[in-house]
Amino acid sequence: MTVEQNVLQQHSQKHQQTLLNQLREVTGTTDVQLLQQALQVSNGDLAEAVAFLTEKNTKVPQQDEATYYQTAQITNDRYISVGSQADTNVIDLTGDDKDDLQRAIALSLEESNRAFRETGITDEEQAISRVLEASIAENKASLKRTHTEVWSDSPNPHDRKRQENCPVGLKNVGNTCWFSAVIQSLFNLLEFQRLVLHYSPPARMQDLPRNQKEHRNLPFMQELRHLFSLLVGSKRKYVDPSRAVEILKDAFKSSESQQQDVSEFTHKLLDWLEDAFQIKAEEDREGEKPKNPMVDLFYGRFLAVGVLEGKKFENTEMFGQYPLQVNGFKDLHECLEAAMIEGEIESLHSAENSAKSGQEHWFTELPPVLTFELSRFEFNQTLGRPEKIHNKLEFPSMLYMDRYMDRNRDITRIKREEIRRLKEHLTVLQQRLERYLSYGSGPKRFPLADVLQYAMEFASSKPVCTSPLEDVDTTALPAEGSGSGSQSRVPPDLPMHPAPRHITEEELRVLEGCLHRWRSEVENDTRDLQASISRIHRTIELMYSDKSMMQVPYRLHAVLVHEGQANAGHYWAYIFDPHQQQWMKYNDISVTKSSWEELVRDSFGGYRNASAYCLMYIDDKKPFLIEEEFDKETGQMLSGLDKLPPDLKEYVEADNKLFVREMEEWDALQATEPCPPDNTASQHDLEYMEQQSPTGDSKHLQEDTERAISKAAAEHDEKSPEALLNTVRHAMKVEYTRLLRFAQEDTPPERDYRLQHVIVYFIHNQAPKKIVERTLLMQFADRNLGFDERCKSIMKVARAKLELIKPDEVNMEEYEMWHQDYRKFRGTTVFLLIGLELFLKKSYVEALMYLIFAYQYNKELLAKGPYRGHDEELIAHYRRECLLKLNEHATVLFETGEETEVNAGLNIMNELVVACIPLLLVDEMEEKDMVAVEDMRNRWCSYLGQEMERKS
């Protein structure tokens, strides 16, 4: 074998192993033979291999039985009891044997009725069996699909109906959550939305396309218009983007990793749109230089100024998405600074040229939509695969680009040099401070002030001696003459505590004086160093805060998030709605309200696998980007179908009619069945259960549910529709037992299980049994539950079970009240954590607001029961300390005597301290609060030179 052949073979083996690793991570399948079979069948196409494995429904590994506790309480209640015993078996919808599935489908209603009579199944279970029949039939149909369907449509079209004014989601049609994240971010740019909707195809589009670009781009443009029109005016909760995705498939068919496809997607999408608009522009402006709105919207220019082998150069380049490296940087500005300077640039600022090479980038023209691509993936040469960088990277909601503009080149260079000098000085100060805080020459080091304090305590200790017989248990001593007694004897003059053996009063006085003086000097030096370091940090932070360097504001419009590893994962987008002043989370079909705090938690990275990979900022001085369109004649804002041109309006109306007809047919079908009770509250609860929780634990909730299902299914092998009902019962029993165990554990506050699951909170507070059972049933009815057919089927059983619950069986007002209390408990937790974090950062003004709200909400909860909220004394302590810190700061400012500082101190006192003192006086039982208020009053009284009358 030649060297070339050997290299090729090694490369092929590495490539094969990379594909296997990617496939294992995407599908969760661990069977190597099955993975290799999938790659062989798909000829190495990763997407087709994933679809093959998903459609084969590979078996889920059984969970460890030891992790679950068993309870056995039989109930014939209409509810699925959380403690009921379910020892019957379940249809294995995850197996590879299609004959089993065919046999299950072949069970007709007549056979089911016969089975019910033989086994004593109730009428309720017969109703659920009808749901199972439809579910099994759908499972059969899914085996014939050519792609993976991640989201399964609810059979009830009313579940898929759009709520008024709620944004429309996008269905995931097979590992395409990246498509949804990008498209939704662009769609919510209203100027971009208008350009797409009002795009008119070239007049010659009916003719044969002239080239491959036209053959691909123009049809894609048409499908994108259709998709955008549905996002505007559809009556559906989410729409299907399959047609647009199909056109994209050819461009993304490769054996490369999924993440590489995603990073290229926006580039290719904008290229296609640019081409489509270019064709139209050339047709509209014959003889003139065509103007392309896509270029105007997304592309800017920068000037590259540099030295190459001693020769200076300048050239202008165009850019679209601007790539930024993440590794080694703490925030977006650091990334940008590094990207704008490459190599050695000292020669740029000197009169003499040198042989050094380097360049600077200066933006000459920024686009209205400024997109940063964060490079969080790098190839590991040792492992032979890409890896994700999980480092934390902060970015602001408002970004000022002045420092990177060519017109500010001179002033920016001066400021960069000043920052460089300050950072050098900062490094020296930090090294000096470290010598004070980590003192010693050995492996263990301690703060020098503590070392001196310990020495002072030792020197001051009095030697107190004791007899060995008084200090040692004589029964534990060995017998005399055993040979080891002499080794265990305690010297008679050994002191009880370490202390000097011999020291005169004069020596002690001199030593204590020296140690006390040295300790004071060390503490003062430490404080001075810390203050200097803080001042330098603040100076660096404010370096670009003057108005002249805040003239180019860009506001954060969208953040595209990736969760997972380099070769696989999930994608979603946070998009700001400027009209509601609200962040929204677009997660495929789910569109929910969010917050800046949740965005930060998911996007900054550093402590979980989720992090931002793309940031989209918009020019804050160009409001047309996000402004709604108005009718020229009436002046009314256009909304819904009124925003659409005639052809798209007709298209959406036709689709809406189909959907309305589907709902009418469903209603007519349901009219032939026993009428189920109104499930409005059920739907409301589903939305509550599906939303990301404040602590980001919804994924864990889903995983826990799936584990319970796997545990229940693993213990049964009977293949009949009614067995799924028993599986749901058994799975709920497993899950409830796990949660009951958590509720019974005595855990510290930092591991409060009430925050991890609503049912643990309910158990702690002795919620009614029906409330607990209905809530647990909601967990198993979550639409997001699992991607395999078994979980989907069980989800449908649980949903059918919910529909059979009569209104008089549960007091829905009480049910909603319990869930509102839990939402308030979670909200209180968020306020408390943010308040404590701000307190530790010494941001006392902001911290005080959060702690006040946390205390108030917590007090309302505790009024209903001792376990409804958190430790009241803890919140009161930090609220009080925060107010005292602010008061201390205000008095320090007042004592300076400088007019500006005195006014600032009085403002803090009047607007915060005085305003918050009544909150501490409300609860007179809190003695520490009363003392704190008295201290604050006395402090200000001393300044006024008069006594303030005490309030009775």
Side-chain angles (χ1 to χ4, degrees), residues 614-632:
C614 184
L615 307 176
M616 195 176 289
Y617 284 88
I618 58 177
D619 191 334
D620 201 47
K621 291 187 175 181
K622 294 180 178 175
F624 70 89
L625 293 168
I626 52 175
E627 274 184 348
E628 294 285 358
E629 195 173 358
F630 290 84
D631 187 279
K632 294 179 181 178

Side-chain angles (χ1 to χ4, degrees), residues 529-541:
L529 284 170
Q530 290 171 333
S532 298
I533 289 171
S534 297
R535 281 195 299 271
I536 293 176
H537 276 301
R538 185 64 176 163
T539 302
I540 293 174
E541 288 175 4

Side-chain angles (χ1 to χ4, degrees), residues 210-245:
R210 293 182 304 183
N211 53 47
Q212 184 180 359
K213 281 186 177 181
E214 290 188 18
H215 180 73
R216 176 194 64 200
N217 296 353
L218 295 179
F220 176 76
M221 194 68 207
Q222 284 295 83
E223 290 304 331
L224 191 61
R225 290 183 74 236
H226 289 158
L227 186 58
F228 271 29
S229 67
L230 291 173
L231 291 175
V232 167
S234 179
K235 291 185 177 181
R236 302 176 190 269
K237 184 179 180 181
Y238 55 90
V239 294
D240 191 335
S242 296
R243 292 182 179 178
V245 172

Side-chain angles (χ1 to χ4, degrees), residues 293-497:
M294 287 295 121
V295 175
D296 293 342
L297 203 57
F298 293 101
Y299 289 87
R301 295 179 183 276
F302 66 83
L303 184 68
V305 183
V307 174
L308 181 61
E309 297 178 355
K311 295 182 180 180
K312 292 186 177 182
F313 68 87
E314 281 192 12
N315 55 45
T316 302
E317 299 180 31
M318 182 177 281
F319 71 93
Q321 293 186 96
Y322 203 83
L324 295 174
Q325 293 296 322
V326 169
N327 211 1
F329 306 110
K330 69 175 184 179
D331 58 39
L332 186 61
H333 277 300
E334 284 194 0
C335 295
L336 273 166
E337 288 282 348
M340 303 301 279
I341 303 175
E342 298 178 11
E344 300 288 343
I345 60 167
E346 288 84 351
S347 57
L348 291 175
H349 312 285
S350 61
E352 299 179 2
N353 289 338
S354 69
K356 293 179 179 178
S357 297
Q359 64 174 323
E360 293 176 332
H361 289 177
W362 299 97
F363 292 118
T364 56
E365 182 182 348
L366 289 173
V369 182
L370 180 58
T371 306
F372 295 115
E373 182 184 296
L374 304 182
S375 300
R376 281 193 170 271
F377 301 90
E378 59 184 18
F379 193 81
N380 188 314
Q381 298 289 346
T382 305
L383 299 176
R385 64 167 183 261
E387 286 187 324
K388 185 175 179 183
I389 301 168
H390 295 295
N391 300 358
K392 181 178 181 180
L393 184 81
E394 299 180 1
F395 49 84
S397 59
M398 187 65 76
L399 176 70
Y400 294 95
M401 294 295 292
D402 303 75
R403 68 185 80 174
Y404 311 110
M405 303 303 294
D406 182 52
R407 61 176 178 266
N408 295 323
R409 191 195 303 187
D410 292 337
I411 188 171
T412 298
R413 282 175 174 169
I414 293 171
K415 288 181 178 291
R416 282 178 179 169
E417 178 60 26
E418 177 66 12
I419 289 174
R420 185 193 64 77
R421 187 188 64 78
L422 286 171
K423 286 186 175 179
E424 287 180 355
H425 186 43
L426 188 63
T427 301
V428 173
L429 292 177
Q430 287 171 333
Q431 289 173 348
R432 290 179 62 187
L433 178 62
E434 184 64 19
R435 296 190 188 104
Y436 280 93
L437 298 180
S438 298
Y439 187 80
S441 56
K444 290 186 177 180
R445 307 198 172 195
F446 305 92
L448 179 55
D450 291 349
V451 173
L452 294 171
Q453 176 65 25
Y454 300 152
M456 198 184 315
E457 291 173 0
F458 173 76
S460 304
S461 299
K462 302 296 182 182
V464 179
C465 298
T466 181
S467 167
L469 297 178
E470 296 173 357
D471 197 43
V472 180
D473 184 1
T474 55
T475 61
L477 293 174
E480 190 173 336
S482 63
S484 60
S486 59
Q487 296 177 6
S488 62
R489 276 199 193 126
V490 181
D493 59 346
L494 182 70
M496 289 183 64
H497 307 288

